[in-house]
Amino acid sequence: MNKRTFGVIGLAVMGENLALNVESRGFPIAVYNRTAAKTEEFMATRAQGKDVKAAYSLQEFVHALERPRKILVMVKAGAPVDAVIQDLKPLLEKGDMIIDGGNSLYEDTERRTKELEPTGLGFVGMGVSGGEEGALHGPSLMPGGTESAYRELEPILTKIAAQVEDGPCVTYIGPGGAGHYVKMVHNGIEYGDMQLIAEAYDLLKNTLGLNHQQLHEVFAEWNTTDELNSFLIEITADIFTYIDKETNLPLVDLILDSAGQKGTGRWTVFSALELGVSIPTIFAAVNARIMSAYKDERVAASKELTGPTGKYDGDTKSFINKIRDALYCSKMCSYAQGMALIAKASAEFNYNINLSECARIWKGGCIIRAGFLKKIQTAFNENPSLPNLLLAPEFKQTILDRQEAWREVLCIANKLGIAVPAFSASLDYFDSYRRDRLPQNLTQAQRDYFGAHTYERIDRPRGEFFHTEWTAK
């Protein structure tokens, strides 16, 4: 029997699509799923006529693969990944490699890499973005872990990844959990992007009264601009055109306003808190999803708690453009926060992550792919040690030119009682970052007063600490 080049364990949607992607690029594959019926269904339908070998035991699966064996595991993050690894270990030989392509917590990937590398096995924790369509036709791939294993996988990964003008959307991110860390922050940025778009929609609909066709036209126009051209803006424009067949109403208006989440946004917030990195836009986006889940409470509260009413009475076209500018400024802040978090983690965990390359591989295949990622790529390419994206010349000037519109949008939103937590958090981030003095001098005085926590002085060298007996005047 001819040995297979690549193996996939787990035939849910993402596993199936990645398997078919690999096969379509000329690499014979073997597949295995814990439930045999799932394997049989795949072979009888989507895999029919393709160069796919089905295995019905792990032993048969491993035996079908050429050495060094390259095995992609696509099962639920957490304990199921550990279980698959433990079952595979006795069957593998030195030089074989396991790739975890799920949304695993980077700390788990760190642990697994440290456990497997001393045994001679390679372990790659690989973030995969692009949803089911991306997985089938070309995702953005963020592999980290054993570098020698990545080099073995590189000829396959560069073929199955999305392709953009300057190469495939894959690069070696770094050792240990680096790949899954970058994917986690990617998802945090995605949370921010989606919340900012939702707030723009809320403003357009509830301050200007735009109908679904007008909303489609606005987002479709925004998608033609250099600033906002992106996958998420594109699909948002599409969503407003979908009419529910049962009611003849826009489907989006019939969807319950309670958003779910799978954890990567929360993980991003937890990590930022641990590393001491400010990511208020991403935090606001996570919090907005949590607040949305209080649906029944909100319905009850709406009958008792009142706020402003009315619509915007100024020029509609002008205000639409100001919302566009506010969205772009807020989006810049969200990406600046995500990049700053990756940079801090890279330094803290010795990942040596290339931020320009992160932006490059996000330009195609992934959910946050956007035209302005080229500008982010260029900014970090020209200055790899750039402390914050907002200081890059192009972004700095853009935000300075548009901040008046940004501020006006928030004023109108507040006046009319429209919650814009991510827009507000972004502006707060910008205003805090641009100020040379914040009021935390008072916070330090309070901490020293009640807890003798000490403080530094602006007229003395940094690192010299003082305590005052505040009641002994």
Side-chain angles (χ1 to χ4, degrees), residues 240-277:
F240 293 122
T241 66
Y242 195 97
I243 303 301
D244 177 57
K245 293 180 176 59
E246 292 182 21
T247 63
N248 205 36
L249 295 171
L251 179 58
V252 68
D253 291 344
L254 301 172
I255 295 175
L256 185 71
D257 55 316
S258 179
Q261 52 182 314
K262 291 188 175 180
T264 46
R266 293 198 307 274
W267 294 348
T268 306
V269 171
F270 294 158
S271 180
L273 290 171
E274 290 170 350
L275 293 174
V277 178

Side-chain angles (χ1 to χ4, degrees), residues 30 50 222 247 393:
K50 302 185 184 301
W222 287 356
T247 63

Side-chain angles (χ1 to χ4, degrees), residues 196-210 215 311-312 319 322-323 326-327 409-410 412-414 416-420 423:
L196 290 167
I197 292 170
E199 291 175 16
Y201 151 70
D202 199 7
L203 288 165
L204 292 167
K205 181 178 180 181
N206 291 307
T207 68
L208 296 177
L210 299 194
L215 288 165
K311 303 287 184 183
Y312 179 71
F319 194 53
K322 289 173 181 176
I323 295 172
L327 176 57
V409 167
L410 265 69
I412 297 299
N414 290 335
L416 296 178
I418 303 294
V420 284
F423 274 26

Side-chain angles (χ1 to χ4, degrees), residues 138-343:
S140 174
L141 301 173
M142 293 153 260
T146 310
E147 185 170 5
S148 59
Y150 170 76
R151 299 304 167 194
E152 286 279 354
L153 293 162
E154 196 169 20
I156 298 174
L157 298 184
T158 53
K159 289 283 181 62
I160 70 170
Q163 307 293 316
V164 293
E165 77 281 355
D166 49 2
C169 292
V170 60
T171 191
Y172 177 68
I173 300 294
H180 275 139
Y181 193 93
V182 167
K183 176 56 164 57
M184 176 189 77
V185 177
H186 161 287
N187 284 21
I189 294 171
E190 180 184 309
Y191 273 57
D193 249 2
M194 294 175 73
Q195 178 62 25
L196 290 167
I197 292 170
E199 291 175 16
Y201 151 70
D202 199 7
L203 288 165
L204 292 167
K205 181 178 180 181
N206 291 307
T207 68
L208 296 177
L210 299 194
N211 62 36
H212 68 98
Q213 181 58 35
Q214 292 169 317
L215 288 165
H216 162 72
E217 291 168 1
V218 167
F219 279 92
E221 180 185 344
W222 287 356
N223 195 47
T224 66
T225 65
D226 289 339
E227 298 92 343
L228 294 180
N229 169 253
S230 66
F231 173 71
L232 284 170
I233 295 289
E234 177 188 344
I235 67 169
T236 301
D238 285 348
I239 285 168
F240 293 122
T241 66
Y242 195 97
I243 303 301
D244 177 57
K245 293 180 176 59
E246 292 182 21
T247 63
N248 205 36
L249 295 171
L251 179 58
V252 68
D253 291 344
L254 301 172
I255 295 175
L256 185 71
D257 55 316
S258 179
Q261 52 182 314
K262 291 188 175 180
T264 46
R266 293 198 307 274
W267 294 348
T268 306
V269 171
F270 294 158
S271 180
L273 290 171
E274 290 170 350
L275 293 174
V277 178
S278 177
I279 60 164
T281 308
I282 296 170
F283 179 82
V286 173
N287 191 60
R289 294 198 189 188
I290 295 170
M291 179 61 78
S292 77
Y294 296 179
K295 177 63 177 177
D296 293 340
E297 285 185 49
R298 289 189 290 110
V299 170
S302 70
K303 298 170 183 175
E304 299 187 44
L305 303 177
T306 60
T309 59
K311 303 287 184 183
Y312 179 71
D313 57 5
D315 182 74
T316 296
K317 180 61 176 175
S318 174
F319 194 53
I320 289 172
N321 289 338
K322 289 173 181 176
I323 295 172
R324 177 201 62 205
D325 289 346
L327 176 57
Y328 186 47
C329 290
S330 299
K331 184 183 178 83
M332 279 188 276
C333 288
S334 183
Y335 278 74
Q337 294 160 33
M339 289 302 197
L341 179 55
I342 292 173

